[in-house]
Amino acid sequence: MNTPGSSRLEAGSGAESPASAFRLPPLSAYVHIPWCVRKCPYCDFNSHAAGPELPEDDYVAALLADLHADLAHVHGRKLTSIFFGGGTPSLFSADAIGRILDGLEQEVGFEPDIEITLEANPGTFEQAKFADYRRRGVNRLSIGVQSFQAEKLKALGRIHDGDEAVRAADMARQAGFDNFNLDLMHGLPDQSVADALSDLEQAIALNPTHISWYQLTMEPNTVFWSQPPELPEDDALWEIQEAGQARLAEAGYVQYETSAYARDGRRARHNLNYWSFGDFLGIGAGAHAKLSSPDGRIWRTWKTRLPKDYLNPAKSFQAGERLLEAADLPFEFMMNVLRLTDGVPTALYSERTGLPLESIEAACRLARSEGLLADDAERLRPTERGQLFLNDLLQHFLP
């Protein structure tokens, strides 16, 4: 029988729990759908090329069993957000997504204003399918555009074209989604500043509530890592970044995280929970989770990675777990919250880690002296320099 493999999480390892300042954070859920039509050469996510038929029913059953095995870590909380990621979740039918949502609502429960996001790629859906997702409870889409230009899409191994990307945004709106994100990359192979800004102009013209605009990076275990393409020079990358941020601000998109821009206050609440060191269940092949106990212990867990193993009743859903020791917590907390341009209230450090603020005072003082952390008694937030040199800032909080 496929078991959770996580009973030790409640038993603990004898580590002392943090101070009483700790409070259980909000709870989200991440649901991983691991299949794509084709694996992109830059992608290092746990995604696998889909065969002629997806094991949709079997996978939904496994997800719900996985969820049931993790219920001990809910501790009475309801879900504030759900994110279907992948892979390409829009390869699954609206009925399958609806059954997963029904299970989450019945087993855990939803906050009244829950945000439910589904990732979709242009070319993997039609308008009727989007409308069905909306009827089954999905209220936010994240559409993986990456570029609107044919040669750039070909270089990235994408299966859609620019016209399909434009239609995807229009279809989302017609299907009843008043809140959707467009994923867009810059720093692409042979991309000029004009190319990058043209993509951004097209994205802005589609009037999404949110734009994720981030630079292509070469990740290990990808085709691009072993066969790197020709990328723009550093000076061009810097010019693209500055010009793009200015154009987004002019169009009313407020940067609130390293690569996230929102209009009309429509920040991604699911990702904000990550960046605020909240808790999240992770179900599905290769899904990760951050889970807290009422006594202040904090764990990171991860599920069996390969779909065939995840679907094997003889194997455990859970592949591993790690208790965060007190020495780990300053870096773990800061690694998330300092991605936010406004940071977080200072008091959140003790609430989410259980540690006194004094445990990071020396590191904060040094970071402020270097102009990386703002001199603000009320908030832990990076300066503009700290945002640009985030890795340097985070070095101060390593164990």
Side-chain angles (χ1 to χ4, degrees), residues 229-298:
E230 187 82 22
L231 299 181
E233 298 289 338
D234 287 347
D235 287 348
L237 292 173
W238 185 258
E239 188 177 348
I240 288 170
Q241 184 75 26
E242 286 195 319
Q245 287 179 328
R247 180 65 188 100
L248 284 162
E250 181 184 23
Y253 290 93
V254 177
Q255 183 180 15
Y256 67 97
E257 188 267 343
T258 303
S259 57
Y261 303 77
R263 192 162 63 186
D264 304 325
R266 295 294 192 99
R267 301 181 177 193
R269 283 190 278 142
H270 186 83
N271 287 344
L272 280 174
N273 191 44
Y274 288 159
W275 297 322
S276 300
F277 210 50
D279 275 4
F280 53 96
L281 299 167
I283 61 172
H288 285 240
K290 172 188 170 279
L291 303 165
S292 302
S293 298
D295 64 6
R297 287 173 297 150
I298 301 171

Side-chain angles (χ1 to χ4, degrees), residues 7 13 16 31 51 72 76 92 132 150 237 284 294 301 303 314 317 333 384 392:
S7 59
S13 62
E16 292 186 9
V31 183
F92 269 31
D132 287 342
L237 292 173
T301 69
K303 299 297 172 63
F317 290 124
F333 179 85
E384 287 189 18
D392 292 340

Side-chain angles (χ1 to χ4, degrees), residues 292-367:
S292 302
S293 298
D295 64 6
R297 287 173 297 150
I298 301 171
W299 300 78
R300 291 201 181 274
T301 69
W302 51 97
K303 299 297 172 63
T304 298
R305 185 175 185 276
L306 294 177
K308 68 179 180 64
D309 292 334
Y310 185 81
L311 290 169
N312 185 345
K315 293 182 178 291
S316 172
F317 290 124
Q318 185 158 304
E321 61 187 39
R322 181 170 71 91
L323 173 67
L324 300 184
E325 303 289 350
D328 301 322
L329 291 173
F331 179 77
E332 289 273 348
F333 179 85
M334 290 300 208
M335 177 178 63
N336 286 279
V337 305
L338 292 181
R339 290 180 61 93
L340 296 167
T341 56
D342 292 336
V344 294
T346 304
L348 196 70
Y349 176 74
S350 294
E351 291 177 13
R352 297 285 160 90
T353 68
L355 300 175
L357 193 61
E358 289 77 17
S359 64
I360 55 169
E361 271 189 358
C364 287
R365 190 161 49 246
L366 185 55

